[in-house]
């Protein structure tokens, strides 16, 4: 997420942190570089101008030129101003009514249907009902039905009349006990009067509690234009951004709140239905500056792991009794949390660390090619077993040997800790 923006700002930070002092001319040049970086990230030019003026004013008041650590002061000031333009505080989203109704609006291709499934999964305890509202595009209905299947929630098909479909879905929800309706409305390739009239009719007659505008994070400034247009013609609660796991430069996310006043509630960070995050301005600003996001990382860990299982595993590790079956379970737990590179990016200072996810896949394949007995007792794996495991996992005997060697080193280290001996580390 925001990889290019983060990379360029990180490079600038490294240059600044290496300076003991900064002259007024150097500060002006630094602000010029920040302006260029933000404009290249497709941040709205008015937002960039205001942002730079705010940072310059604060630095002038703090007498940055005579500061002992000017690099750190600039970074912190930039961070605080980023939090401001992202909205300052986290907007609270609550489903108060029963059944509550969420209407998703936006242009075709922005990802409304996927967001519908992600919201359904997030609020699955309310027995959500996904409602198709696009009769002109049969594929849209089929796609939503497929997403409903993946989210394991109820689905309501569209009729020729969109309004009657929505009203009928409300009655159906009351009868079946669905406490949440998510309306996947029609989209167009561009904003037109017919689309707006249809959405306005849903707004006036169905009266959704929440109307989310779904925006494609990869389209840059056009997302800001879309937000402005929709906000003028409909009562929009806030925005959801999709496709932020790709090559999104981040400009739209940084601009929408400042230009339109609309808060951002959710961001989609992957293709899986689980890849939906609440939008926290402070956490996003920290990620953009490469500071990591420990809070989000902890939430992912807590949501994917069982506390008691982890406690038992920790005890086994301390006693040197963990085995490859335990290791395999840990790999599966990590995979539940999403992409390893995304998780590493949440660790402060590790945003630029290169993670080879293929290596994790290879390790998993090797362990899965072992018998349960071999996983519990790797010492029995002789030469012929290693060849069989390598053939079964599509790897080489060298790969199998490397895994077993590293596992044995970890187990030996754990045993040293459990015996109270200080492990000896060899400095190469």
């Amino acid at each position: 997420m925001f990889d290019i923006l983060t990379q360029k700002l990180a490079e600038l930070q490294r240059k600044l942190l290496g300076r003991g002092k900064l002259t007024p001319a150097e500060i002006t040049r630094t602000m010029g570089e920040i302006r260029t970086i933000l404009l290249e990230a497709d941040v709205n030019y008015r937002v960039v101008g205001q942002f730079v003026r705010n940072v310059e004013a604060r630095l002038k008041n703090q007498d940055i030129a005579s500061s002992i650590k000017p690099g750190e002061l600039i970074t912190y000031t930039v961070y605080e101003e980023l939090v401001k333009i992202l909205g300052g505080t986290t907007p609270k989203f609550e489903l108060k009514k029963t059944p509550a109704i969420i209407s998703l609006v936006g242009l075709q291709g922005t990802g409304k249907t996927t967001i519908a499934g992600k919201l359904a999964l997030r609020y699955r305890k309310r027995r959500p009902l996904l409602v198709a509202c696009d009769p002109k595009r049969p594929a849209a209905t089929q796609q939503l039905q497929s997403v409903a299947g993946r989210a394991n929630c109820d689905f309501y098909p569209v009729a020729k009349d969109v309004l009657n479909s929505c009203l009928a879905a409300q009655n159906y929800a009351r009868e079946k006990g669905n406490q949440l309706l998510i309306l996947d409305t029609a989209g167009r390739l561009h904003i037109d009067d017919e689309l707006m009239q249809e959405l306005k009719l849903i707004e006036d007659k169905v009266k959704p509690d929440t109307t989310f505008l779904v925006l494609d994070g990869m389209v840059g400034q056009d997302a800001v234009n879309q937000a402005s247009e929709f906000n003028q013609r409909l009562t929009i609660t806030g925005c959801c951004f999709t496709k932020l796991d790709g090559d999104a430069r981040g400009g739209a996310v940084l601009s929408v709140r400042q230009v339109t006043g609309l808060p951002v509630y959710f961001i989609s960070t992957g293709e899986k239905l689980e890849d939906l995050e609440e939008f926290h301005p402070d956490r996003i600003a920290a990620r953009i500056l490469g500071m990591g996001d420990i809070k989000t990382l902890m939430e992912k860990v807590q949501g994917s792991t069982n506390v008691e299982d982890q406690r038992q595993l920790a005890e086994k590790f301390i006693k040197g009794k963990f085995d490859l079956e335990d290791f395999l379970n840990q790999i599966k737990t990590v995979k539940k949390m999403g992409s390893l590179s995304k998780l590493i990016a949440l660790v402060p200072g590790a945003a630029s660390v290169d993670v080879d996810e293929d290596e994790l896949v290879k390790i998993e394949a090797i362990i899965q090619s072992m018998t349960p007995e071999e996983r519990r007792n790797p010492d029995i794996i002789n030469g012929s077993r290693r060849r069989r495991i390598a053939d079964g996992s599509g790897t080489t005997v060298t790969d199998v040997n490397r895994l077993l060697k590293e596992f044995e080193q970890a187990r030996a280290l754990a045993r040293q800790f459990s015996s109270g001996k200080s492990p000896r580390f060899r400095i190469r």
Side-chain angles (χ1 to χ4, degrees):
M1 193 194 308
F2 312 125
D3 289 348
I4 297 174
L5 180 59
T6 299
Q7 180 183 346
K8 291 187 176 182
L9 285 173
E11 290 173 359
L12 180 59
Q13 286 181 74
R14 282 194 290 271
K15 287 196 296 185
L16 292 173
L17 292 173
R19 307 274 184 86
K21 293 283 184 180
L22 283 176
T23 65
E26 288 173 327
I27 294 170
T28 300
R29 187 163 55 250
T30 296
M31 296 314 302
E33 289 185 52
I34 291 175
R35 182 192 303 273
T36 300
I37 290 170
L38 293 175
L39 288 173
E40 288 178 349
D42 219 2
V43 180
N44 181 274
Y45 71 94
R46 292 194 298 272
V47 176
V48 173
Q50 186 62 53
F51 176 82
V52 171
R53 287 193 294 273
N54 290 348
V55 173
E56 281 183 320
R58 289 187 56 182
L59 293 179
K60 192 175 294 183
N61 291 336
Q62 294 168 350
D63 193 14
I64 183 68
S66 61
S67 172
I68 297 175
K69 296 182 179 180
E72 292 182 5
L73 188 54
I74 289 177
T75 297
Y76 185 69
T77 304
V78 168
Y79 164 76
E80 289 199 321
E81 289 301 321
L82 278 177
V83 173
K84 285 183 182 178
I85 68 171
L86 288 169
T89 58
T90 302
K92 291 185 178 180
F93 176 60
E94 297 177 339
L95 298 170
K96 296 180 179 179
K97 294 184 179 179
T98 302
I101 303 175
I102 298 175
S103 177
L104 301 177
V105 303
L107 295 187
Q108 185 176 317
T110 56
K112 294 192 299 296
T113 301
T114 305
I115 283 287
K118 291 182 176 185
L119 289 171
L121 183 65
R122 187 179 190 88
Y123 297 104
R124 55 188 174 274
K125 291 183 179 179
R126 295 182 68 99
R127 294 190 60 204
L129 174 68
L130 298 189
V131 184
C133 303
D134 188 356
K136 292 188 176 181
R137 204 164 61 90
T141 300
Q142 295 169 4
Q143 184 185 5
L144 184 65
Q145 186 172 16
S146 174
V147 168
R150 288 166 53 200
N152 194 27
C153 68
D154 294 332
F155 165 77
Y156 196 88
V158 67
K160 290 183 179 180
D161 186 288
V162 174
L163 179 58
N164 285 335
S165 293
C166 292
L167 295 174
Q170 279 184 285
N171 293 329
Y172 178 88
R174 293 189 186 100
E175 292 174 5
K176 299 296 182 181
N178 299 104
Q179 298 174 23
L180 172 63
L181 277 75
I182 301 176
L183 311 180
D184 183 18
T185 68
R188 302 283 192 278
L189 295 176
H190 59 277
I191 296 171
D192 59 24
D193 289 335
E194 182 185 5
L195 170 66
M196 287 302 174
Q197 288 172 7
E198 184 177 290
L199 296 177
K200 186 64 178 172
L201 191 62
I202 292 174
E203 181 179 291
D204 293 341
K205 301 299 182 180
V206 182
K207 302 185 185 305
D209 309 289
T210 302
T211 300
F212 281 143
L213 173 61
V214 181
L215 297 167
D216 183 339
M218 297 181 68
V219 301
Q221 284 298 297
D222 195 45
V224 180
N225 299 333
Q226 291 172 33
S228 298
E229 186 78 13
F230 272 94
N231 195 36
Q232 288 173 10
R233 303 175 72 167
L234 298 171
T235 305
I236 303 296
T237 307
C239 303
C240 299
F241 273 94
T242 63
K243 305 177 186 177
L244 291 180
D245 55 318
D247 297 325
R249 288 180 285 180
V253 181
L254 286 166
S255 304
V256 163
R257 178 58 188 262
Q258 200 76 356
V259 174
T260 68
L262 291 173
V264 180
Y265 280 86
F266 294 100
I267 53 175
S268 174
T269 58
E271 296 179 359
K272 297 179 180 179
L273 294 184
E274 295 85 0
D275 295 333
L276 185 72
E277 296 180 13
E278 288 184 347
F279 187 83
H280 299 275
D282 55 340
R283 301 186 194 183
I284 296 298
R287 287 196 222 181
I288 289 173
L289 291 173
M291 298 175 178
D293 184 353
I294 288 298
K295 289 183 180 179
T296 297
L297 180 60
M298 290 304 298
E299 287 173 3
K300 285 180 177 289
V301 171
Q302 290 169 0
S304 303
T305 60
N306 181 287
V307 175
E308 181 59 25
D309 290 344
Q310 293 304 308
R311 186 190 65 77
Q312 292 178 3
L313 178 64
E315 289 182 357
K316 289 181 71 174
F317 182 84
I318 292 172
K319 295 177 181 178
K321 294 182 178 180
F322 71 104
D323 54 33
L324 286 168
E325 190 73 56
D326 298 318
F327 191 29
L328 180 62
N329 289 333
Q330 288 303 295
I331 292 176
K332 291 178 179 178
T333 297
V334 170
K335 288 176 69 176
K336 285 182 187 176
M337 291 186 278
S339 164
L340 185 59
S341 57
K342 290 179 187 175
L343 294 176
I344 292 296
L346 298 177
V347 179
S352 60
V353 174
D354 187 22
V355 179
D356 185 1
E357 300 206 30
D358 291 338
E359 191 64 27
L360 202 61
V361 174
K362 184 189 293 184
I363 291 172
E364 186 178 12
I366 291 173
I367 299 176
Q368 286 180 329
S369 296
M370 297 177 184
T371 65
E373 185 182 7
E374 289 168 343
R375 294 176 198 169
R376 289 191 294 268
N377 184 15
D379 295 332
I380 68 172
I381 303 177
N382 55 23
S384 61
R385 289 176 184 259
R386 292 177 192 227
R387 283 191 294 274
R388 191 206 76 241
I389 293 168
D391 290 341
S393 59
T395 60
T396 66
V397 173
T398 302
D399 292 326
V400 176
N401 289 340
R402 185 187 304 115
L403 171 61
L404 292 174
K405 181 179 178 181
E406 291 174 354
F407 176 77
E408 182 52 42
Q409 288 174 342
R411 192 164 58 173
L413 183 63
R415 285 171 178 162
Q416 284 186 328
F417 277 119
S418 66
S419 65
K421 296 179 180 178
S422 299
R424 296 180 181 180
F425 298 99
R426 182 182 298 174
I427 301 176
R428 296 183 179 179

